[in-house]
Amino acid sequence: MREVIKVAKADGVDLPEDVINSVVHSDDGDWFEPSMRVDVKKGNPIELEVILGNLLTVARELKVETPVLDVIYNLLKAVQFRLKEGQGLITLPKDRPIEDKFYK
């Protein structure tokens, strides 16, 4: 959330002081499950680009560093790939293709 706040500030949006606590406890899992978790449990692709990808695009445009969100995004890309593969939206070849290029 600290990186989200930095991106918002760079974009001219001042979030309230208690925004971290509000966000963390607004959907803490006791009453509601986060939408990405629901998608994963159902085997559906997650809304990765809408929820996190767009934020990172804005961060790049505003030159705001987001190292934690970058790691989370890349880990979630692996989850997204697995979910899409499970639904048959992505297929991998049975055998790993080997190119006949040699590097020196």
Side-chain angles (χ1 to χ4, degrees):
M1 276 305 298
R2 287 182 180 90
E3 290 179 0
V4 171
I5 292 167
K6 286 186 345 186
V7 174
K9 189 169 191 75
D11 201 26
V13 177
D14 289 319
L15 296 172
E17 225 175 271
D18 65 339
V19 69
I20 292 174
N21 195 45
S22 296
V23 169
V24 168
H25 294 293
S26 69
D27 198 9
D28 58 14
D30 290 336
W31 297 100
F32 303 100
E33 286 184 285
S35 64
M36 279 190 184
R37 183 171 180 211
V38 172
D39 288 336
V40 170
K41 285 172 71 173
K42 290 181 176 180
N44 294 332
I46 55 179
E47 295 178 306
L48 180 58
E49 296 307 318
V50 172
I51 294 172
L52 190 52
N54 290 336
L55 173 70
L56 293 175
T57 298
V58 172
R60 299 297 154 260
E61 290 171 359
L62 299 173
K63 299 183 180 4
V64 177
E65 292 186 16
T66 54
V68 173
L69 292 176
D70 290 338
V71 169
I72 292 169
Y73 176 76
N74 283 302
L75 290 170
L76 286 173
K77 279 176 61 174
V79 171
Q80 182 79 302
F81 187 91
R82 181 181 53 85
L83 292 167
K84 287 183 175 182
E85 187 180 23
Q87 284 196 335
L89 301 172
I90 295 173
T91 56
L92 294 175
K94 183 174 177 149
D95 297 319
R96 181 178 178 182
I98 298 176
E99 297 185 24
D100 56 352
K101 296 179 183 176
F102 294 93
Y103 298 96
K104 296 180 183 183

